[in-house]
């Protein structure tokens, strides 16, 4: 079955996008990413050396851009200006690479996105020719606005970054997906394999995660779990699940159940 | 990684047990089961021809006992006596095969198990030399009693048979698993891939399902989803999930969250 | 509006039944119970002095039987025999009082009920002329059997005794209520006011609780909260809630929402 | 116990704010509001006659401003400009009354708020001397910004207007409340009494609702339920709930439970 994900005119077999931070070392990063089957990996430009510091180990020696789509991200930016500057630095470091993941955070406590700054930065980046995948909250109106602006993927949070609380509000994620014409990728919150499968069953086009693998007891084994979970959730969505019923003999779905 | 499931001294690679009912025809049954990777399949003796009726198609021509462990079940029995009789018939039809799945139902509306009759039939079957895998509710005291009696696997419901409502009470399933010395297999209720993965993440040893595949829009594709979901959930459990936190900067898991 | 609860031919304005254990002292017990508006209070015969020990304070001096219906309970009993003996002692101490709450527990860790012993004790007590209100799990088949046996009220757990986890499986509580001809009273698990209101909105006839009040920071204020919550939940049930919709403009309830 | 809600320097005994739309007629509106105990009622200026049309019935003849704090709202406005204009009209109609509820909606399908327009309108109204209670989503960063701007109350949605789905994401509501210095009032989504109690147990300062009463089978009885539910939830919050435990014998809260 051919079921490819297309982002900014490039196609991917895998619907899992993996972060590169929080691992023990670059060897573990590489092993986990290889096992996950991910074809796109995201890199925090402010925290990870991809050539800024000539003296340090370079992530790209472990995760080669010939093999993976590198997705520079603006983690650690709290204003539109910082985020835009960060993307420009990435484009320079990566020889004109224009696919970026924009994230503008609201505060250090929650790492919840700052939506007004996100909107502003997204517009500036699109105007400047970037292909913007944008981290956002689960607001369906904002999601439409980001799509209308020209972002190439909209990435609502499942729950807070680093929380592992799963998809706290599947209803809004579904509302976003229902009306979207660009890929919707759940970004942040996935803590375990069933969370990832569930995100895909909601109809989302992909999942981006980092801590769930990097902070698992065994990151490489969790990477394998996530690969399978994403595929399982996608196939389950495409297959079409059985109807829910209050009990098997009920003639209509969920008749008689109150909540 | 070697991670085998052992039931009644036989080992299995797959932790997925599949029902054979509710398919369009035996070809679909076979295709779904092959795709699922299941090594054990369960057969309702009262509903499926495995040789009782010489004139009809025989399931075993599609699902050969040389390849699969056949698990005769007592679906449709509402008393201990009927269920015991049904198991004896199966043993006869299958030349002394003594592994059975006992299920004694409470009523036709809910298909919830009748626990007093289940306990009585389980005792009679164990005494008669059967190896009993037993369908039960999510009562941890009853689960211990069934184990103490000598049942080879205890199979609590996730939710009602045919409902697809998932694992309604994960807390009790965990209590059952915490104290168990025999395999705990979630039986009934799984509706979709994330449900199956979640059951495995609770630490369960396997999942038995039927409608989730047979009543999916595309049963064979759902069988593939379930195979991957079971593996994903198992690996996720073995890997050890990241801690949940109210937010990433919280110093202890879930500090500050109320429910 | 007249909306009375009838148990064993006696009517009650209040649908809240309160335990008498776990308070700082009998003064606090009395203050909480008075504030709660409860007309029936339950007493653990094995733990509370209602006259067994002439030298100790007697609960009945604080909670007079002329004012409250005293419901002796068998907390701390782990076999049918102990529980039956305990009820007989209570009947003797209370001059022939025959209304009892039967609870037979499965183990000290979970305090989950032992259903086979509960069934046995219930039958013995009914045969001996007791009016039995019976603590049980959320098994709808067992609930019907206890009703058929002649129990005057069936009392399924919301969650484990002392856990405060609320109603873990509202679906099964509803199944029990749907088919019941005796009062269904949620017993155990209610932790906070919204849990109590929710139990009533499921259609239950009452709630029995103890720790939620006794272990609150301010037990008397929580008693007031519970009184109002029970009334709120009951009125809400009788009023008939608005339909749930995925969004206001959806033409049918919950169209378009996946879970 | 004195426990008053203060909004814009005025104190209220009741923490329930009621909408005036969707009732059969103004008599039902009045009866429900009287029963609810609400002291503040909100009026959609675009839909309800409070004097704009001299020929029609005037709501204020039923809900007199001498008795109730009238809270004009901008329901039906989809841009900042419309909303600001609507507030000015209300101020004129109500002789300089400057307390308003701002709501700017995103689309007709979901009625989800438009946050960029809400921020813009809130700023304009505050600058113009209005006391602004503001309907918003459950974004904690936006909530802080609205507070910083000078809004007198922040009113996050529990779920979509008219959905009755309850508090879909209690976690974010708690994050908002944790950092707030103005009243946080859950607005939209409450469907039943236990939802209202739960909102208060999260620590919120009040609840605004309309459909839950107006679309109940018996609106006046539901109004009574809501009054009690709000009080129950508030008292429960102030009393301090018992700790949750996986089982009563667990030595620490929730040890051993996985989710």
């Amino acid at each position: 079955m051919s079921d490819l994900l297309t982002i900014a005119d490039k196609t991917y077999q895998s619907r899992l996008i993996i972060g590169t931070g929080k691992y023990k070392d670059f060897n573990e990063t590489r092993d986990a990413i290889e096992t996950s089957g991910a074809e796109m990996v995201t890199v925090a430009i402010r925290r990870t050396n991809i050539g800024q510091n000539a003296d340090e180990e370079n992530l790209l020696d472990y995760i080669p851009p010939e093999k993976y789509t590198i997705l520079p991200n603006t983690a650690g930016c709290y204003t539109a200006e910082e985020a835009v500057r960060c993307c420009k630095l990435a484009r320079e470091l990566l020889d004109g690479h224009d696919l970026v993941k924009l994230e503008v955070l609201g505060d250090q406590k929650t790492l919840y996105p700052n939506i007004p700054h996100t909107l502003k930065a997204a517009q500036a980046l699109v105007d400047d020719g970037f292909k913007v995948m944008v981290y956002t909250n689960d607001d369906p109106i904002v999601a439409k606005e980001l799509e209308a602006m020209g972002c190439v993927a909209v990435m609502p949070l499942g729950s807070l970054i680093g929380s592992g609380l799963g998809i706290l509000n599947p209803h809004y994620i579904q509302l976003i997906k229902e009306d979207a014409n660009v890929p919707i990728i759940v970004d942040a919150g996935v803590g375990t394999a069933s969370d990832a499968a569930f995100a895909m069953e909601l109809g989302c086009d992909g999942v981006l995660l980092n801590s769930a693998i990097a902070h698992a007891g065994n990151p490489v084994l969790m990477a394998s779990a996530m690969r399978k979970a994403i595929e399982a959730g996608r196939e389950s969505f495409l297959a079409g699940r059985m109807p829910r019923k209050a009990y098997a003999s009920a003639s209509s779905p969920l008749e008689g159940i109150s909540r």
Side-chain angles (χ1 to χ4, degrees), chain A:
Chain A
M1 187 187 64
S2 172
D3 171 49
L4 301 174
L5 170 64
T6 303
I7 297 178
D9 298 324
K10 191 166 165 188
T11 58
Y12 301 87
Q13 300 267 345
S14 169
R15 292 173 177 274
L16 181 56
I17 306 173
I18 302 279
T20 52
K22 307 183 183 178
Y23 290 93
K24 202 174 54 185
D25 55 33
F26 283 165
N27 283 311
E28 194 182 67
T29 310
R30 183 199 53 221
D31 292 351
I33 288 171
E34 277 183 6
T35 302
S36 77
E39 297 165 277
M40 186 187 284
V41 301
T42 185
V43 179
I45 295 303
R46 296 195 148 201
R47 297 192 190 127
T48 309
N49 185 34
I50 57 166
Q52 304 97 308
N53 305 313
D55 310 343
E56 290 176 17
E57 269 203 319
N58 186 328
L59 177 74
L60 302 184
D61 294 338
Y62 292 78
I63 309 295
E66 304 76 45
K67 190 168 164 198
Y68 296 98
T69 297
I70 303 296
L71 180 65
N73 73 60
T74 64
C77 294
Y78 289 84
T79 64
E81 294 67 33
E82 287 177 288
V84 169
R85 215 177 310 129
C86 188
C87 290
K88 289 182 177 171
L89 171 62
R91 183 163 59 180
E92 212 168 289
L93 285 166
L94 295 168
D95 301 319
H97 176 99
D98 56 8
L99 183 73
V100 292
K101 179 190 152 192
L102 170 65
E103 85 182 50
V104 188
L105 301 179
D107 63 26
Q108 294 191 318
K109 175 183 166 188
T110 63
L111 307 181
Y112 195 94
N114 181 316
I115 295 304
H117 276 262
T118 297
L119 287 165
K120 193 173 155 194
Q123 187 66 67
L125 290 168
V126 168
D127 289 349
D128 193 12
F130 282 95
K131 291 166 186 154
V132 182
M133 299 175 68
V134 57
Y135 175 58
T136 184
N137 62 8
D138 55 11
D139 176 332
I141 305 303
V142 166
K144 278 311 272 185
E145 190 166 339
L146 290 165
E147 176 186 323
M149 209 176 258
C151 293
V152 299
V154 172
M155 307 174 78
L157 50 68
S159 49
L160 298 181
I161 292 175
S163 70
L165 294 175
I167 315 294
L168 289 181
N169 198 335
H171 185 30
Y172 294 175
I173 300 291
Q174 282 187 294
L175 290 177
I176 290 173
K177 179 59 195 166
E178 247 174 64
D179 283 339
N181 299 304
V182 291
I184 301 300
I185 293 171
V186 169
D187 181 0
V190 165
T192 186
S194 58
D195 293 341
F198 179 55
M200 297 307 296
E201 288 168 352
L202 292 172
C204 293
D205 300 280
V207 169
L208 189 156
L209 54 82
N210 186 358
S211 306
I213 291 180
H215 287 170
N218 180 338
V220 176
L221 186 54
M222 188 57 92
S224 171
M226 287 299 180
R227 175 185 195 145
K228 290 171 181 172
I230 293 289
E231 291 177 14
R234 180 66 180 174
E235 289 178 357
S236 175
F237 173 73
L238 294 174
R241 62 157 294 153
M242 65 178 287
R244 285 180 188 81
K245 291 184 168 193
Y247 29 83
S249 59
S251 57
S252 68
L254 276 183
E255 85 183 10
I257 199 177
S258 98
R259 106 169 178 181

